Structures are given as structure tokens and as C-alpha cells.
Amino acid sequence: MILKNFNELKTYLDTPKDIVIIGHKNPDGDAVGATLGLKHYLDKKGHETQVLLPNEFPEFLRWIPGTETVYRFDRQNKQSVRSLKKSEIIFLLDFNALHRVGDDMQNTLEKYEHDFALIDHHQQPDDFTYMYSDTSMSSTCQMVYNFIEMMGDTAIIDADIATCLYTGIMTDTGSFRFRSTTSATHRIIADLIDKGAKNDKIHSNVYDANTYSRLLLLGQALTNLQIYPEYKTAFITLSQKEKDKFNYQKGDTEGIVNYALSLQGIIFAAIFIEDKEQGIIKISFRSKGTFSVNKFARNYFNGGGHDNAAGGRSNVSLGETIEKFKSLLPNYQKELMNSYEE
Ligand code: 5GP
Ligand code: MN
């Protein structure tokens, strides 16, 4: 755990400040929940805040309180740049290095003249003036709760803050099932429910938001599933053509990789998704036990993340990417076999 200059930050926030809060590119439930949860809290403390996200977030997160106030850097660029110019400090939430916001926004942030405050649970964070980094945490939303607690302010957590933070903890823990879920996570969740988070509604809003075409896309993904029991590995592919056929919308492929991991005896799962617009193959990796997909993604697929959940990309074709992936598996046979005790 790294806690850097927290007391200085606490003192700095004693008087009202103009604050920008940023999440990573392709924001997920944790990024949206954490940025908006922190925003509602800081607003309550009398600060002026603006949440900026690099690009679109999935439709199934649109109900989260405060999403209508968010500026998208790619679409509302002028407003975004204006709020950055007048801000006095930037909070960076749910990512560990500036390149995670995408090239355009990164270039702008690199010219920023004031301080950054990072709250994040990813490995190997870059250095910023103020830092709260803890890779053992389930989610950045859990850390925002801890941050509010360290500020001595849990009493002012209201239903909006509680709803935002509950959502990110829920999505980043796979509904409280991943290894990172601890008794502390559950205690925080209990407190968030007491403070007004409607747990049944939140689950339903996020997980029961399928469109028919999304289910058909899932069907296609499952049809494409390939299993390599000798490496305890399974992976899924989705081509651009298949995405188009089933009217792919942002967020539709979220969580599909977990179906590969749900197979008996499988401890390493991947999904390869062709993105013709960006000219890349976007990859998600998941694992169980000690096999680190963070290292695997870093070493071979320009990515990173956590030990059991990471992502990356490839600039060659879908077919070539899969060949590369398959050719790597024999090197890890022993590690994969010993990663997880059933
Ligand atoms: P997902 O597979 O759900 O997109 O991402 C899983 C985890 O890996 C997330 O914590 C995310 O931040 C991280 N991640 C996903 N894609 C990338 C990437 O391209 N680079 C890095 N460094 N991390 C990624
Ligand atoms: Mn997260």
C-alpha cells in the first residue's frame, strides 16, 4: 500500500477547491462509480467538481446518479479543456498511468501545471504528488470509501454516494466473488446499504439490462469458444463481422470472457475482439489462482491490469493474434497446471 502526502491533501481540501476527477478510457462500473462517488462527496464538502471521462461508457451504467454531468473528452472537448484549465487539482481514479486515458487526453494532462491525486488499485502505479494506491483492494470504489473514512467523513455518505460506490465494488468483484473480496469489503457494502444503496435495484440495473441482440452476440461468442484442457485454457473470439451482425453496442462484450472461465477445470480464459475502427484486437484475460494474467498481458499483448484480470491489445489480424496466443501456451503448461487447487 502506498499512501503519499495524505495529510497535506487533507489540509489542502480544508478550503473549497476547483477539482477535476478523471477515470480511464472505456470506463467500467468501477471507474464510473468511483469518479461520481468522489464527485458527490467533494460537492458535499463545498468543492467545485467536474468528472471527465475519455470516451463513452456502457449504456447499462447510465442510470448511476450524476452521469448526466459527466463530460466526455472525445465529444465535449472544449468544455473538458476549459474545466481542466480552471481546475486546481486533478484526481485520477481507477488507473495507474496517464497513458490509460488515451493519447489525446494524455497529451493534455501532461501539460497540466498543478498536482495530481491518485486513488487506484492497479499494479505498478506511476508517481504523483498525492497517492493512495493499494493493489490488494477489490476496487477503486472500496478505496474511495476508505478515503472518505480517512477524511473522517463517513457520516456524510448519502444515498447517491452509496449507490455509486456499491456499483463499482459490485462490478469489480464479479458480485462479491473474486479473491479480492474480503470481510472489509462486505462491511463497507453493509454500510453502503444502510446509507441508502438499493442493492437489489443496482444488481438488476446492471445485470438485467440485456437487449435481445446482445444475447444473440453472446450465443455467437459461446459458439466460437475453444478449449485446450491440456493447458486449462479456454478462449473466445468475436470478429467485427459477427459484432456487426448482432448490432454490437458498447459494453455488449463486457463479462463474456467469464463464461470461458466458468468451464470446469479451466483456470485461464481470454476473449479476442476485433475492432476494425481502431485497427486492433482488444483482449481480456482472466485467471484463477497464481497464474498472473497481468504479467502475461504486459509481456505479450501491450497490456496489464491485475493478477487475475487484465487486458491488452494486438495490432495483427484476429487469426494471427490467436496463433500467437496458442503458441505461447506450451511455455506456461506447468504454471497453468499448478495455478489453482480445485
Ligand atoms: P477488461 O478485460 O475488463 O477490459 O480489463 C480488466 C483489467 O485489466 C482492468 O482492471 C483494466 O484496467 C485492465 N486493462 C484492460 N485493458 C488494458 C490495457 O490495454 N492496458 C492495461 N495496462 N490494462 C488494461
Ligand atoms: Mn477497478
Side-chain angles (χ1 to χ4, degrees):
M1 203 262 272
I2 303 166
L3 190 62
K4 184 178 163 196
N5 294 332
F6 174 76
N7 289 330
E8 289 76 2
L9 179 61
K10 190 166 190 267
T11 307
Y12 182 73
L13 294 175
D14 271 346
T15 50
K17 293 290 179 312
D18 199 307
I19 300 172
V20 162
I21 305 167
I22 294 174
H24 56 78
K25 195 172 173 187
N26 301 323
D28 58 3
D30 194 29
V32 176
T35 50
L36 287 170
L38 183 68
K39 173 200 164 55
H40 294 309
Y41 162 68
L42 292 173
D43 284 350
K44 251 188 145 159
K45 296 280 283 181
H47 303 288
E48 188 80 32
T49 64
Q50 179 62 51
V51 173
L52 299 187
L53 295 174
N55 62 345
E56 192 180 9
F57 56 85
E59 197 55 41
F60 66 80
L61 299 175
R62 207 157 290 278
W63 58 274
I64 296 176
T67 49
E68 69 286 352
T69 68
V70 172
Y71 288 158
R72 270 177 58 177
F73 192 83
D74 60 347
R75 283 268 177 91
Q76 287 136 305
N77 192 264
K78 272 197 189 123
Q79 294 97 312
S80 301
V81 170
R82 208 178 305 135
S83 50
L84 283 169
K85 280 219 170 103
K86 72 181 184 67
S87 71
E88 298 162 284
I89 182 169
I90 297 177
F91 276 82
L92 307 173
L93 264 53
D94 200 36
F95 62 100
N96 53 0
L98 290 183
H99 69 85
R100 295 279 292 124
V101 298
D103 294 347
D104 264 9
M105 196 165 173
Q106 179 185 359
N107 287 336
T108 309
L109 292 182
E110 273 168 357
K111 293 184 204 114
Y112 191 65
E113 288 172 355
H114 306 289
D115 290 319
F116 291 102
L118 172 112
I119 304 178
D120 178 52
H121 66 141
H122 292 87
Q123 304 194 356
Q124 295 169 259
D126 282 353
D127 189 44
F128 297 100
T129 308
Y130 306 106
M131 292 177 78
Y132 172 30
S133 157
D134 189 345
T135 58
S136 76
M137 283 287 153
S138 72
S139 53
T140 301
C141 279
Q142 183 169 340
M143 300 179 73
V144 170
Y145 181 96
N146 291 344
F147 177 78
I148 295 173
E149 191 170 45
M150 289 190 279
M151 296 288 287
D153 282 332
T154 48
I156 67 166
I157 294 179
D158 58 18
D160 280 352
I161 301 171
T163 301
C164 292
L165 300 185
Y166 186 106
T167 305
I169 298 174
M170 179 190 81
T171 55
D172 255 29
T173 58
S175 297
F176 320 113
R177 56 168 291 198
F178 297 154
R179 243 190 338 165
S180 57
T181 311
T182 62
S183 58
T185 313
H186 283 287
R187 275 187 208 101
I188 289 168
I189 283 296
D191 191 41
L192 295 175
I193 293 173
D194 285 343
K195 295 201 155 68
K198 299 264 181 288
N199 49 323
D200 57 332
K201 266 266 168 59
I202 296 172
H203 283 261
S204 181
N205 285 346
V206 171
Y207 296 117
D208 303 337
N210 281 317
T211 57
Y212 182 54
S213 60
R214 198 239 168 196
L215 288 186
L216 293 178
L217 184 72
L218 172 63
Q220 180 67 63
L222 296 179
T223 305
N224 296 350
L225 179 71
Q226 295 188 46
I227 306 171
Y228 289 83
E230 66 274 36
Y231 304 119
K232 296 194 173 185
T233 297
F235 67 87
I236 289 169
T237 60
L238 276 174
S239 67
Q240 183 68 51
K241 220 171 157 184
E242 290 166 331
K243 284 160 64 185
D244 293 344
K245 183 173 168 197
F246 297 111
N247 188 28
Y248 166 81
Q249 303 291 312
K250 187 107 194 161
D252 277 355
T253 53
E254 197 94 1
I256 292 183
V257 65
N258 295 314
Y259 285 90
L261 200 64
S262 75
L263 280 162
Q264 251 177 13
I266 295 302
I267 65 102
F268 182 25
I271 186 167
F272 300 88
I273 303 166
E274 188 177 29
D275 183 336
K276 275 260 156 79
E277 199 183 306
Q278 288 192 68
I280 61 162
I281 310 298
K282 180 76 188 91
I283 314 167
S284 289
F285 296 108
R286 299 291 185 269
S287 69
K288 288 183 184 172
T290 52
F291 182 72
S292 170
V293 287
N294 169 51
K295 276 194 206 139
F296 190 85
R298 266 175 203 275
N299 286 345
Y300 305 109
F301 291 101
N302 311 306
H306 312 278
D307 282 338
N308 296 125
R313 60 184 53 215
S314 153
N315 297 312
V316 295
S317 74
L318 186 56
E320 286 168 298
T321 305
I322 291 158
E323 284 315 310
K324 174 177 169 182
F325 176 73
K326 287 200 291 195
S327 75
L328 290 165
L329 292 176
N331 305 334
Y332 291 94
Q333 186 162 34
K334 225 176 173 176
E335 236 184 281
L336 289 164
M337 282 301 154
N338 300 326
S339 174
Y340 187 70
E341 299 244 343
E342 311 261 338

